[in-house]
């Protein structure tokens, strides 16, 4: 009886399913079919034989084991983790601080101008960002001109390994600070004026209002964004890392994802590269579930 | 109770303004510098004497750029990919976003989960590459459009928009008047969705315009490559030397090569930077809706 009623409901909504159809086809072809393709991590995949007919790897985890035997594995894992943690600790808080600062500006025009300026770099591609870095930080670029005119010695920023991380993190902040602040700015705007009035009556300073009203009320948003950021922690922007890579900095710039690209597409080791990529995704997914569970436990905020 | 400079409101406010001015300069100056370097004699740029204003106007770089055909071919490819890609993406996202916003859609939560799950777990690079080959769109414009023709994040933004802007009473009233789901979507939903369409156009168009990795992987032929790949070759792989040394002395060529790089960055970044300020009031809203209710 109930089933029949459900069926009727589904049939009655057929037009809604039609509207959903293109997206459903897309997700099957370009999201779930590739997931099925992950099977080749456990096979000796040959393009001609296809996913089904290619023989299973023996042992099943052969390609994973192979990855951990390479010297590059440790380097790539370490680089990925270090770069993500640096991004998390340095990059994550900055949009929050920027939003708090901007929230102090009561003049609408100035506020809007600063905000507009702050998003600009978000619309630039990784290629353009890295190109700008290479132009400004090259030996004859702006930064080295300033250094030499102050009597210093030119630094090979773009080729030295120790400058890879600062440039990567710094350009990331430069590019995304304004855009990532949007959500905090909106949350700050929704704080009721009553809190501020009460605080003013008590003689609170601006700094105290930020500390005791704004930051606590921003907390739910911050935690939500933190879960999302942590849930993507192993997916550091490989495009940028790949573009910044050169012969001298691979020891710090080789990430799991750039290695997957090279092993998979440049040297056609499909099964091996898929295994490496799968390892990365699984670790990432576990971290996401953990951070979600922790946040749920301590703050009632979660994405699932 | 209140002590220290942080609690002095006047100083605090000065500090805030000073920091914001500093931040604005740090963000704008590199872009401005690239712009003025693109019209200044490269010798002056290289000597570090140009900091605030263009000096010794020199437009050879732009002249060279206009003549450099691979760049324009890349530009054309990018424009084409952006226009077609954005149109398709909007055509997929808006109807789906609407359908998922309907609380009476049977199976809504389960379907939503199937979409959301792919945001956090996916097949990755190689399986995507094999999919593109299998579907038969490798080395065609579809190879760089279809794999990114839907962003689940944008879909969630769109769904939340419809949820918050179409009151349920309106739907009930329309249904009593005999309005079908199609009719409601086309005659009431879409006209109210101008904001979200503008936001999603901006997001998708930016994504298509800036695509680099997928074209590199999914296109085989040089003449289909979009602007970003051409720029990468010019600037980061230093092909600009070869491009500008034709018919010039070595010194002249090297000088040109350097300026050409600045010009190319300007030409690629300008369209998006010119458009986004007009759309920003929309997209701030778009992000907020998506993130709060996503």
């Amino acid at each position: 009886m109930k089933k029949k009623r459900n069926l009727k409901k589904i049939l009655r909504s057929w037009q809604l399913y039609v509207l959903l159809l293109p997206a459903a086809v897309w997700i099957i072809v370009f999201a779930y079919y590739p997931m099925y393709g992950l099977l080749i991590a456990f096979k000796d995949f040959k393009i001609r034989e296809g996913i089904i007919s290619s023989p299973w790897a023996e042992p099943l985890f052969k390609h994973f084991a192979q990855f951990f035997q390479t010297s590059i594995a440790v380097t790539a894992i370490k680089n990925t983790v270090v770069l993500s943690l640096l991004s998390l600790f340095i990059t994550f808080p900055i949009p929050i601080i920027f939003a708090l600062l901007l929230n102090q500006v009561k003049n609408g025009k100035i506020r809007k101008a600063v905000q507009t300026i702050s998003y600009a770099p978000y619309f630039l591609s990784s290629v353009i960002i890295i190109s700008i870095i290479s132009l400004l930080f090259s030996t004859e670029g702006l930064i080295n001109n300033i250094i030499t005119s102050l009597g210093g010695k030119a630094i090979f920023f773009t080729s030295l390994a120790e400058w890879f991380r600062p440039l990567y993190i710094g350009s990331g902040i430069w590019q995304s600070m304004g855009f990532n602040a949007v959500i905090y700015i909106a949350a700050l705007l929704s704080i009721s004026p009553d809190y501020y009035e009460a605080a003013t009556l008590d003689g609170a300073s601006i700094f105290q209002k930020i500390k005791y009203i704004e930051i606590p009320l921003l907390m739910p948003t911050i935690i939500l964004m933190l879960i999302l950021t942590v849930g993507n922690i192993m997916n550091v922007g490989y495009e940028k890392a790949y573009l910044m890579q050169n012969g001298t900095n691979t020891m710090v710039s080789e990430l799991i994802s750039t290695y997957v690209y090279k092993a998979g597409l440049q040297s056609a080791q499909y099964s091996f590269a898929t295994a490496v990529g799968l390892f990365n995704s699984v670790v990432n997914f576990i971290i996401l579930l953990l951070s979600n569970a922790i946040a749920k436990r301590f703050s009632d905020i979660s994405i699932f | 109770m209140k002590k220290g400079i942080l609690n002095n409101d006047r100083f605090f406010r000065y500090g805030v303004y000073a920091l914001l001015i500093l931040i604005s300069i740090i963000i704008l100056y590199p872009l401005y510098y690239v712009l003025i370097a693109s019209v200044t004699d490269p010798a002056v740029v290289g000597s570090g004497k140009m900091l605030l204003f263009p000096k010794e106007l020199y437009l050879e770089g732009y002249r060279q750029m206009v003549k450099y055909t691979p760049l324009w071919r890349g530009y054309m490819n990018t424009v084409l990919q952006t226009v077609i890609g954005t149109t398709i993406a909007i055509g997929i996202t808006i109807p789906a976003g609407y359908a998922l916003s309907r609380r009476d859609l049977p199976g809504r939560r389960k379907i939503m989960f199937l979409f959301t799950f792919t945001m956090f777990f996916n097949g990755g690079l190689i399986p995507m590459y094999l999919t593109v080959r299998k579907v038969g769109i490798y080395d065609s414009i579809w190879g760089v459009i279809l794999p990114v023709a839907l962003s689940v994040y944008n879909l969630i933004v769109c769904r939340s928009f419809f949820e918050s802007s179409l009151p349920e009473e309106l739907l009930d009233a329309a249904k009593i008047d005999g309005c079908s789901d199609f009719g409601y979507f086309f005659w009431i939903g879409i006209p109210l969705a101008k904001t979200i369409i503008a936001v999603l156009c901006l997001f998708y168009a930016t994504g298509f315009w800036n695509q680099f990795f997928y074209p590199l992987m999914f296109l085989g032929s040089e003449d289909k490559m979009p602007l970003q790949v051409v720029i990468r070759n010019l600037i980061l792989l230093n092909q600009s030397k070869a491009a500008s040394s034709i018919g010039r002395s070595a010194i002249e060529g090297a000088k040109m090569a350097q300026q050409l790089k600045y010009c190319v960055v300007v030409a690629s970044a300008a369209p998006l930077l010119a458009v986004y300020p007009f759309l920003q009031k929309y997209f701030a809203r778009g992000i907020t809706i998506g993130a709060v209710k996503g």
Side-chain angles (χ1 to χ4, degrees), chain A residues 27-279:
Chain A
I27 203 116
I28 290 167
V29 177
F30 292 105
Y32 285 99
Y33 183 74
M35 277 186 218
Y36 160 71
L38 283 171
L39 265 186
I40 68 169
F42 307 97
K43 290 195 158 199
D44 284 324
F45 177 71
K46 292 189 187 66
I47 268 205
R48 253 181 238 148
E49 295 178 28
I51 297 173
I52 298 265
S53 334
S54 292
W56 291 98
E58 260 181 74
L60 206 54
F61 286 89
K62 182 173 89 179
H63 302 295
F64 295 88
Q66 191 194 332
F67 173 56
F68 289 109
Q69 276 154 18
T70 55
S71 60
I72 201 99
V74 182
T75 318
I77 294 172
K78 195 185 116 203
N79 288 340
T80 306
V81 172
V82 170
L83 206 57
S84 329
L85 289 180
L86 281 174
S87 299
L88 184 64
F89 287 114
I90 302 172
T91 315
F92 184 79
I94 288 182
I96 305 172
I97 297 168
F98 176 65
L100 289 169
L101 290 176
L102 195 67
N103 195 46
Q104 288 308 316
V105 179
K106 303 300 174 202
N107 178 321
K109 270 194 186 140
I110 298 179
R111 197 185 156 96
K112 213 180 143 198
V114 174
Q115 214 184 344
T116 308
I117 290 171
S118 74
Y119 314 134
Y122 182 80
F123 294 96
L124 304 176
S125 67
S126 318
V127 173
I128 293 295
I129 300 279
I130 306 307
S131 296
I132 293 176
I133 290 181
S134 96
L135 287 169
L136 296 188
F137 289 85
S138 67
T139 38
E140 53 212 50
L142 174 68
I143 307 296
N144 270 318
N145 280 331
I146 294 173
I147 293 177
T148 44
S149 70
L150 293 174
K153 253 182 122 184
I155 301 169
F156 293 93
F157 290 106
T158 48
S159 52
L160 286 176
E162 67 254 42
W163 281 99
F164 171 78
R165 282 174 191 149
L167 285 178
Y168 183 97
I169 304 282
S171 60
I173 295 172
W174 182 76
Q175 180 170 27
S176 60
M177 179 194 75
F179 194 80
N180 290 342
V182 171
I183 175 125
Y184 301 115
I185 292 169
L188 284 171
L189 280 177
S190 68
I191 294 178
S192 152
D194 299 349
Y195 288 107
Y196 294 105
E197 277 162 27
T200 312
L201 282 179
D202 286 343
S205 69
I206 298 179
F207 180 66
Q208 285 170 324
K209 286 178 200 161
I210 293 180
K211 201 166 148 194
Y212 297 112
I213 300 175
E214 297 184 346
I215 293 180
L217 287 173
L218 267 188
M219 245 7 192
T221 316
I222 294 176
I223 293 172
L224 191 72
M225 297 313 280
L226 196 61
I227 303 175
L228 288 172
T229 312
V230 171
N232 257 316
I233 198 151
M234 300 294 281
N235 299 335
V236 272
Y238 57 87
E239 217 174 74
K240 253 174 78 184
Y242 178 74
L243 287 163
M244 287 173 79
Q245 254 175 23
N246 53 45
T248 44
N249 69 11
T250 32
M251 57 214 257
V252 288
S253 65
E254 189 78 285
L255 307 179
I256 300 178
S257 44
T258 56
Y259 182 61
V260 169
Y261 172 69
K262 288 183 195 163
L265 295 184
Q266 292 180 346
S267 39
Q269 299 168 276
Y270 297 117
S271 285
F272 173 67
T274 305
V276 179
L278 179 58
F279 162 74

Side-chain angles (χ1 to χ4, degrees), chain B residues 199-252:
Chain B
V199 175
L200 294 183
C201 276
L202 180 71
F203 285 174
Y204 277 122
T206 309
F208 282 111
W209 188 273
N210 289 339
Q211 258 205 115
F212 165 73
F213 226 78
Y214 275 7
L216 196 66
M217 289 194 306
F218 301 156
L219 294 175
S221 5
E222 206 56 46
D223 60 327
K224 290 182 187 129
M225 289 298 179
L227 190 58
Q228 302 304 327
V229 176
V230 178
I231 292 177
R232 198 270 307 234
N233 295 345
L234 267 176
I235 298 182
L236 300 171
L237 303 184
N238 231 342
Q239 280 178 7
S240 64
K241 274 212 175 98
S244 44
S245 57
I246 312 155
R248 281 200 179 76
S249 70
I251 302 171
E252 189 66 8

